[in-house]
Amino acid sequence: MKKLLFLYLGTLLFFIACKKETTEVTLNPNAAITLKVNELYSKYGKSNDAVYNQPIPNDLFSSGLKKALENAINASKEDIEKVKKSDHPDEKPLIFEGAIFSSLYEGYTHYEIQSVKVNGKTAVVPVKFEYDMSSPKLIWTDTIHLIESDKKWKIDNITFDTIGSAKDLKTVLKEFAQSTRE
């Protein structure tokens, strides 16, 4: 009888121990937004190769920004193929050059999130950048705009500093896609 009791008890404990815990960790908005901005610059900050060689993640960019990125990338890839098949395959196709997620063409050597300002389902994050590979070093601030979608924060646009020539990321992507079709 004791053996049977231990067998049942052991089996019950085994199944309890094997039960998966599906606890969802919920970060406060500031922490979640900070993680998104850091993910953007760790994944795409130093090179545009990542934009061409990886699928655009659903959980990093809003659907509108993701669509704009995909349209621009597809337009660039189409132009690359068009040039390859043209009478002048040595011409340079339209490709992303420079750091597309930063005001400065050369990119940055360091960045620092200045603050996180949440207003309902939107957030604004000024990010201070530094480029110290020139003299004098360059310092500027771009502003990341995020939206909350499906209970997750996603990057919706970037307003560029006046150090560059572009106003914001969505405008740059739209103009780039249009220029490849002209």
Side-chain angles (χ1 to χ4, degrees):
M1 183 73 172
K2 286 183 183 180
K3 288 182 182 181
L4 194 55
L5 181 63
F6 283 123
L7 178 64
Y8 289 133
L9 187 58
T11 304
L12 178 65
L13 289 174
F14 173 77
F15 284 112
I16 290 172
C18 290
K19 181 183 172 192
K20 281 190 173 180
E21 287 294 323
T22 56
T23 308
E24 190 172 308
V25 177
T26 305
L27 298 173
N28 72 48
N30 287 16
I33 290 166
T34 298
L35 283 173
K36 286 296 173 182
V37 172
N38 286 328
E39 181 182 351
L40 171 70
Y41 290 112
S42 66
K43 193 176 276 190
Y44 298 107
K46 300 292 182 185
S47 170
N48 290 335
D49 290 341
V51 173
Y52 283 102
N53 299 323
Q54 299 176 22
I56 305 299
N58 290 324
D59 62 339
L60 182 59
F61 300 108
S62 69
S63 60
L65 183 54
K66 180 180 183 210
K67 183 178 180 184
L69 279 163
E70 290 172 339
N71 286 344
I73 291 164
N74 290 336
S76 177
K77 288 179 177 179
E78 288 170 11
D79 198 60
I80 290 167
E81 289 304 312
K82 185 171 86 177
V83 169
K84 281 182 186 177
K85 295 175 183 176
S86 74
D87 293 338
H88 305 284
D90 56 336
E91 286 185 2
K92 187 175 180 181
L94 292 172
I95 58 172
F96 288 120
E97 294 184 303
I100 64 171
F101 296 106
S102 166
S103 292
L104 189 64
Y105 178 90
E106 289 81 6
Y108 60 90
T109 53
H110 178 73
Y111 76 92
E112 180 182 335
I113 295 171
Q114 297 296 293
S115 63
V116 175
K117 298 172 188 146
V118 178
N119 185 10
K121 292 191 173 277
T122 64
V124 177
V125 181
V127 180
K128 180 181 169 185
F129 290 92
E130 185 177 296
Y131 181 73
D132 62 10
M133 303 298 277
S134 66
S135 181
K137 75 178 173 183
L138 300 170
I139 298 172
W140 71 97
T141 302
D142 291 344
T143 304
I144 315 291
H145 302 270
L146 297 99
I147 59 171
E148 187 179 19
S149 174
D150 301 325
K151 298 183 181 180
K152 294 180 183 175
W153 288 98
K154 298 179 181 185
I155 296 167
D156 189 48
N157 203 359
I158 300 172
T159 303
F160 296 124
D161 193 294
T162 55
I163 195 170
S165 59
K167 179 184 175 208
D168 65 83
L169 180 60
K170 282 184 176 177
T171 301
V172 168
L173 295 170
K174 182 179 175 185
E175 289 173 353
F176 180 86
Q178 287 175 343
S179 71
T180 63
R181 293 184 172 97
E182 292 177 351

